[in-house]
Amino acid sequence: MAGAGMAIAVLTSGGDAQGMNAAVRAVTRMGIYVGAKVFLIYEGYEGLVEGGDNIKQANWLSVSNIIQLGGTVIGSARCKAFTTRAGRLRAARNLVEHGITNLCVIGGDGSLTGADIFRSEWGGLLEELVRDGQISEEVAQENCRLNIVGLVGSIDNDFCGTDMTIGTDSALHRIMEVIDAITTTAQSHQRTFVLEVMGRHCGYLALVSGLASGADWLFIPESPPEDGWEDLMCERLGETRSRGSRLNIIIIAEGAIDRSGKPISSNYVKDLVVQRLGFDTRVTVLGHVQRGGTPSAFDRVLSSKMGMEAVMALLEATPDTPACVVSLSGNQSVRLPLMECVQVTKDVQKAMDEKRFEEAIQLRGRSFENNWNIYKLLAHQKPAQEKSPFSMAILNVGAPAAGMNAAVRSAVRIGICQGHTIYVVSDGFEGLAKGQIREVGWHDVAGWLGRGGSMLGTKRTLPKTCMEKIVENVRKFNIQGLLVIGGFEAYEGVLQLVEARGQYEELCIIMCVIPATISNNVPGTDFSLGSDTAVNAAMESCDRIKQSASGTKRRVFIVETMGGYCGYLSTVTGIAVGADAAYVYEDPFTIHDLKANVEHLTDKMKTDIQRGLVLRNEKCHEHYTTEFLYNLYSSEGKGIFDCRINVLGHLQQGGAPTPFDRNYGTKLGVKAVLWMSEKLQEVYRKGRVFANSCDSACVIGLRKKVVAFSPVTELKKVTDFEHRLPQEQWWLNLRLMLKMLANYQISLTEYISGKMEHVTRRTLSIEKGF
C-alpha cells in the first residue's frame, strides 16, 4: 500500500490511438493496487476544465473488458480553454476539490507540453485560488505540489526519445492489411497504386510500411527526393514492369514535400505515372482507418507496461523530479525528462523547416535512419561494384515461422549487392544433403515479404544424421558462408556443424543463425522472428473466445497455446487479452496455486464480470494437463461457473507476418549478411576461406537494445537442451505484470523500476537495435 493517501487522475488527450485503453486500464489498476485513489477524467483537458461529472473515481471493474477496444473509452477532445490561464485556474480548482496531485496524461507532444506548463504554474494558480477565497490556505498547503507523468499516444511515432509510441504498431497493422489486399487486386490487373498514409510531419508510418511491403518508391517529409525525381521514378517503374512485375506500389506520407518545400500530392504522382507511362493507376488515401480497429498485441503489452511504470514514477516523484515521460528503449521501460523530449522533437521540425534534411533524419534517432538506409539498399537493384569470390547458401530449418521469407529476401538481395554468389536450399539440412541447391537472382525473391510460412520449405532434420552428404555438397558448390534461418533446430544444427569441424575441413566456413520460431526459445536473442505474429494470432482467437463468454455468463475458458516448454507465447498473449492466469513451465505451480486460481475465479463470478480466461502452455506440467485443468475447474466451479476448452494449435503458426516480423526479418537478413561478408574477408587467405574460431559461427539477435552476434559455442553453456530453452529468459519479469493486472495479491518488491535517462543528440545517435 505504498500509495495510500495518494490520488491519481488519468486523462487521454489529442488524437486517439489504439492502445490508449490498455494504458488507462493499467494506470487505474496499478494505482488501486498500490492503495491510491484513482480518478478518470472524461473528454481530456476539456473535462479537466469543466469538472463536475467529468471527473469520476474509478474502481477495479471500471476498466474491465476495455483492453481490446480501439480509441479511448474516456474520450478525448481538443481544448481551447486549457491554453488560457483562466482555463488552467479552473482545472486546478477541480483537481484540488478531489485532492488530486498526481496526473497521468496520455497524448501527443502538444498535450504533454500543456501538462508541463500546468505543472510549472501550479503554485501560482493555488495562490490565486486562495486569494479569491475559492480554497483555504490549508488546502493549498496539502496540495502544494503537482506531479506529472506522460505516456505518448500517437500513431505517427513522432516523439523523440522513445522507440515506439502507443498506437504506432496498430496503425502499421491497418496499413499492411490494406497493402496486402491491394497487392492481390493490383496483380490481377497490372496496376500501379499510390497509397497515402498519415504523417504530416513524420514519415515513420510511410517508411516502415514501405520497408515491410517492398514498395517501389517512397516519399517522406524528412528526406525529400532530389530535383528531377519525376524522371527517375518513372524510369524505375517502367524498368520493373519490363521485367515482368505486374504491380507497382508507391507510398507517400501526407506531409511529403520536394526540396524547395512544396507539397507533393498523391494525385500529382498518379497523374505523372498516367501521363508518362500510361499505366493504369489508382490512389488510395487511408485516412482515419489507421487510427481505428483493435490494438495489436505489441501496443497492448507496451501500454500495460508503460501504465504500470507511470504509477511507479508518480509514487517515487520528489519535488526535484522533472515531469517525465515513460518510454520504451529496446524491451525496457525508461523515464525521460518530458521537456528534453519535446525540445528534440521541435528541433526535428526546425531542421526540416530550414531544409537541413540529413540532420532531421539523424534527430529522428538511429533506428529511423537505419530503416531509411535499408529501404534504399533493398528497393532497387544496383549492380555490384565487382564480383566477389564468395558464395553463400541460405536455408530454413525447423517449423515454419512468419517473417522467414522477409529474412531470406533481404539476405539474398544484400548478398547480391555485395557481389556474392547466392544459393538457396530447399527443405533445410536434409535438402543440403540431397543437393536441393539453386542459385538465385534479385527478382527471384520479389513478392516474398508478405508471405507467411517458408517459401523455401523447411524440415526439422539435424545435420548429424547426414553429415557426410552435407560436407560433400558444401565442397561441390564451394559454399563459404551458411545462413540458417530457423528455430532451436537451426541453432542446434549449426552447433553440430561447428563441432564436426575437427573431422571435416569443409565446415571451417562462416555460419550465422537468424532465430525464427513462434516459441521464442532460441538462446542469444530476446525476440525470435515469428513470435510477434504468433502472439497476435493467439490474441485474436482469445478476443473472440472472451466475446463469446460475455454472451453466456459464468463461463471459464481454458485455452492451450503452443511453445514447447517455453512460456513466452502464453505469458505475452495473457497480458494482451487480460487473462486471469497463464500456466508456464518456467514459473512452477502447485495444486495450491490452482486452488487459489479457482477461488479467484469464483470471487470474480460474484462481480459484474462473469467470465474467465486461463491460458496454459502446452508443456507447462507433465501431470496438470489441459484435460486435468478442465476437470478440476469444472468440478470446483460446479454451480458457480462452467468450463470450456480451446486448443489453438497450428493456427498460431499461420497467417501473414505482422509489420514487426516483416521489418525485423528484413533487418536481421541485412545485418547477418553484412556481418558474414566482413568475416569472410577476414579469413580469406591465398584464395580460400578457413574459419575455425568461436566467433565464426554465431546467432544474431536483439539483446535489450543492441543487435548482438553470440558464438554458438558460448551459447551452448547457457542452454537447457533437454527442454530446448535458454537458461535465463528476460520475459519472466512480465509475469509480475500479468498477475498484478489480474488482481492477484503479490508483493511489489520484485518490480524493477525504469531508470531516469536523458535525451540529447548524442543519445539519439546510439545504435538502438530495432
Side-chain angles (χ1 to χ4, degrees):
M1 304 301 277
M6 264 176 91
I8 298 172
V10 56
L11 65 91
T12 52
S13 168
D16 63 316
Q18 308 95 318
M20 280 183 164
N21 288 326
V24 168
R25 170 181 178 267
V27 171
T28 305
R29 291 198 163 176
M30 184 68 173
I32 293 170
Y33 200 91
V34 298
K37 279 185 184 171
V38 180
F39 292 86
L40 300 176
I41 298 176
Y42 290 80
E43 308 308 333
Y45 284 126
E46 200 170 282
L48 190 58
V49 173
E50 295 296 324
D53 280 349
N54 290 313
I55 303 177
K56 291 185 184 148
Q57 191 173 344
N59 61 25
W60 194 268
L61 300 181
S62 309
V63 289
S64 223
N65 210 22
I66 65 170
I67 194 167
Q68 74 279 16
L69 303 177
T72 161
V73 294
I74 57 175
S76 176
R78 312 262 177 209
C79 176
K80 273 240 165 71
F82 193 74
T83 59
T84 64
R85 187 172 166 94
R88 293 193 289 274
L89 191 68
R90 285 167 64 193
R93 174 148 190 237
N94 290 330
L95 287 183
V96 169
E97 257 176 28
H98 293 91
I100 299 167
T101 53
N102 296 282
L103 191 58
C104 176
V105 178
I106 306 166
D109 57 350
S111 311
L112 299 179
T113 308
D116 195 63
I117 293 169
F118 189 38
R119 176 179 184 260
S120 62
E121 291 179 352
W122 184 254
L125 293 170
L126 293 196
E127 277 171 26
E128 200 171 319
L129 290 171
V130 172
R131 268 204 313 278
D132 295 352
Q134 295 194 40
I135 60 171
S136 67
E137 192 65 58
E138 293 79 47
V139 171
Q141 279 303 310
E142 280 164 25
N143 299 285
C144 62
R145 190 176 100 231
L146 178 68
N147 295 319
I148 280 190
V149 64
L151 301 183
V152 192
S154 154
I155 66 166
D156 292 334
N157 202 23
D158 56 355
F159 194 78
C160 290
T162 180
D163 291 358
M164 278 296 238
T165 55
I166 294 169
T168 307
D169 188 65
S170 303
L172 286 170
H173 273 252
R174 295 300 91 79
I175 295 171
M176 293 320 299
E177 282 159 17
V178 171
I179 290 179
D180 287 350
I182 278 176
T183 303
T184 50
T185 168
Q187 282 179 329
S188 311
H189 295 280
Q190 287 209 2
R191 278 200 177 131
T192 297
F193 269 92
V194 179
L195 199 73
E196 184 181 306
V197 300
M198 280 183 163
R200 205 167 310 141
H201 305 295
C202 177
Y204 186 86
L205 289 178
L207 174 53
V208 175
S209 47
L211 196 57
S213 64
D216 296 276
W217 196 272
L218 187 56
F219 294 95
I220 59 172
E222 290 86 347
S223 183
E226 297 295 338
D227 295 337
W229 60 268
E230 292 92 340
D231 303 334
L232 191 62
M233 182 182 81
C234 292
E235 186 188 318
R236 191 173 295 177
L237 295 178
E239 213 176 284
T240 52
R241 270 300 159 91
S242 63
R243 281 206 215 90
S245 164
R246 296 179 62 85
L247 119 113
N248 301 111
I249 291 182
I250 298 166
I251 294 182
I252 180 165
E254 59 181 344
I257 48 174
D258 64 16
R259 287 270 150 186
S260 58
K262 201 171 109 236
I264 298 175
S265 74
S266 39
N267 282 321
Y268 175 70
V269 176
K270 174 201 153 177
D271 296 342
L272 193 69
V273 177
V274 172
Q275 283 159 15
R276 300 221 186 159
L277 297 166
F279 291 172
D280 184 1
T281 307
R282 299 279 191 276
V283 171
T284 301
V285 178
L286 287 190
H288 282 70
V289 167
Q290 294 157 85
R291 285 193 191 281
T294 181
S296 66
F298 185 94
D299 272 330
R300 297 188 197 185
V301 176
L302 172 74
S303 307
S304 303
K305 209 171 179 176
M306 285 184 170
M308 286 179 66
E309 184 61 39
V311 172
M312 295 306 283
L314 289 170
L315 272 184
E316 293 165 13
T318 68
D320 306 328
T321 321
C324 77
V325 174
V326 173
S327 91
L328 175 78
S329 179
N331 57 18
Q332 313 290 308
S333 304
V334 294
R335 301 172 190 176
L336 306 168
L338 170 63
M339 290 326 285
E340 283 182 17
C341 298
V342 170
Q343 188 51 54
V344 181
T345 306
K346 285 182 175 155
D347 289 347
V348 179
Q349 195 51 51
K350 190 163 181 265
M352 281 159 62
D353 293 343
E354 294 171 6
K355 305 194 174 41
R356 291 177 287 141
F357 297 114
E358 292 291 313
E359 195 179 331
I361 284 190
Q362 284 164 4
L363 286 169
R364 280 267 179 248
R366 191 61 188 269
S367 103
F368 188 93
E369 197 178 342
N370 261 342
N371 283 337
W372 182 230
N373 291 336
I374 290 177
Y375 171 76
K376 289 189 292 191
L377 269 176
L378 298 178
H380 182 64
Q381 184 171 7
K382 299 157 201 68
Q385 298 297 311
E386 52 190 65
K387 189 83 184 100
S388 94
F390 306 124
S391 48
M392 273 182 203
I394 300 171
L395 59 156
N396 292 161
V397 176
M404 277 181 164
N405 299 324
V408 173
R409 168 188 175 270
S410 67
V412 165
R413 290 194 164 180
I414 199 80
I416 290 169
C417 285
Q418 302 266 310
H420 307 323
T421 303
I422 303 290
Y423 297 108
V424 291
V425 181
S426 302
D427 298 339
F429 289 121
E430 196 175 302
L432 188 56
K434 290 180 178 167
Q436 295 170 329
I437 301 168
R438 64 180 197 279
E439 191 179 338
V440 282
W442 184 274
H443 300 287
D444 295 328
V445 290
W448 281 30
L449 260 168
R451 305 285 287 269
S454 160
M455 302 284 283
L456 292 180
T458 174
K459 289 263 173 79
R460 290 181 183 270
T461 318
L462 287 169
K464 63 178 178 199
T465 57
C466 48
M467 195 66 86
E468 298 279 336
K469 293 259 176 58
I470 286 178
V471 171
E472 196 180 305
N473 282 319
V474 168
R475 183 170 56 242
K476 181 176 159 192
F477 286 88
N478 190 24
I479 294 166
Q480 295 122 329
L482 201 57
L483 178 62
V484 186
I485 302 166
F488 199 85
E489 288 93 351
Y491 154 67
E492 213 175 342
V494 167
L495 193 57
Q496 287 176 10
L497 293 176
V498 169
E499 287 172 347
R501 277 174 171 175
Q503 273 172 283
Y504 305 102
E505 202 180 306
E506 290 84 349
L507 296 177
C508 294
I509 56 176
I510 302 297
M511 299 184 232
C512 186
V513 178
I514 294 182
T517 163
I518 68 167
S519 309
N520 199 22
N521 63 336
V522 179
T525 185
D526 291 347
F527 295 104
S528 295
L529 258 185
S531 57
D532 186 67
T533 305
V535 168
N536 275 285
M539 173 192 87
E540 282 162 21
S541 303
C542 290
D543 279 351
R544 290 185 183 141
I545 289 167
K546 264 175 75 175
Q547 199 175 14
S548 81
S550 54
T552 46
K553 298 279 191 246
R554 297 176 183 272
R555 180 161 287 175
V556 173
F557 278 91
I558 295 167
V559 179
E560 182 187 302
T561 66
M562 286 170 101
Y565 283 100
C566 180
Y568 177 80
L569 252 180
S570 276
T571 300
V572 179
T573 305
I575 293 168
V577 297
D580 294 287
Y583 300 118
V584 302
Y585 167 76
E586 293 93 339
D587 190 359
F589 56 98
T590 63
I591 195 72
H592 299 298
D593 299 310
L594 296 177
K595 181 170 176 276
N597 292 151
V598 173
E599 285 164 4
H600 178 79
L601 281 165
T602 309
D603 288 344
K604 194 176 173 185
M605 295 299 157
K606 294 173 188 161
T607 68
D608 298 346
I609 303 159
Q610 300 179 348
R611 54 156 215 288
L613 182 68
V614 174
L615 296 177
R616 179 188 174 277
N617 170 247
E618 56 183 353
K619 290 189 177 171
C620 65
H621 200 287
E622 191 184 351
H623 304 298
Y624 299 152
T625 59
T626 305
E627 194 68 27
F628 175 91
L629 290 185
Y630 167 72
N631 291 333
L632 175 79
Y633 274 73
S634 296
S635 55
E636 290 294 315
K638 221 183 188 75
I640 304 161
F641 57 80
D642 65 349
C643 254
R644 293 287 185 277
I645 286 183
N646 272 77
V647 177
L648 297 182
H650 282 72
L651 171 146
Q652 297 153 89
Q653 272 180 7
T658 55
F660 181 92
D661 277 332
R662 294 181 201 204
N663 205 353
Y664 189 36
T666 300
K667 290 180 168 176
L668 287 181
V670 169
K671 298 239 174 205
V673 172
L674 291 177
W675 175 83
M676 288 172 77
S677 302
E678 205 176 291
K679 287 281 172 204
L680 284 166
Q681 293 290 348
E682 281 173 25
V683 297
Y684 188 57
R685 300 266 184 288
K686 295 182 183 157
R688 54 180 294 229
V689 163
F690 182 80
N692 65 351
S693 61
C694 286
D695 65 353
S696 60
C698 287
V699 171
I700 178 177
L702 188 61
R703 305 184 88 161
K704 289 206 169 123
K705 296 185 202 175
V706 291
V707 179
F709 288 88
S710 318
V712 289
T713 48
E714 296 290 308
L715 292 174
K716 186 181 179 182
K717 301 168 194 162
V718 293
T719 306
D720 168 357
F721 283 96
E722 185 194 344
H723 299 103
R724 301 159 61 91
L725 289 175
Q727 284 168 7
E728 278 186 20
Q729 304 192 79
W730 69 272
W731 55 264
L732 281 169
N733 56 26
L734 295 178
R735 306 265 316 152
L736 190 70
M737 173 156 87
L738 175 85
K739 291 172 183 170
M740 283 157 99
L741 293 177
N743 208 6
Y744 286 89
Q745 295 310 313
I746 47 175
S747 151
L748 259 182
T749 49
E750 292 166 39
Y751 186 88
I752 302 162
S753 288
K755 304 266 185 301
M756 180 65 99
E757 294 184 1
H758 290 279
V759 185
T760 59
R761 293 190 172 208
R762 200 188 67 74
T763 61
L764 287 172
S765 68
I766 294 169
E767 175 71 82
K768 271 281 189 69
F770 308 137

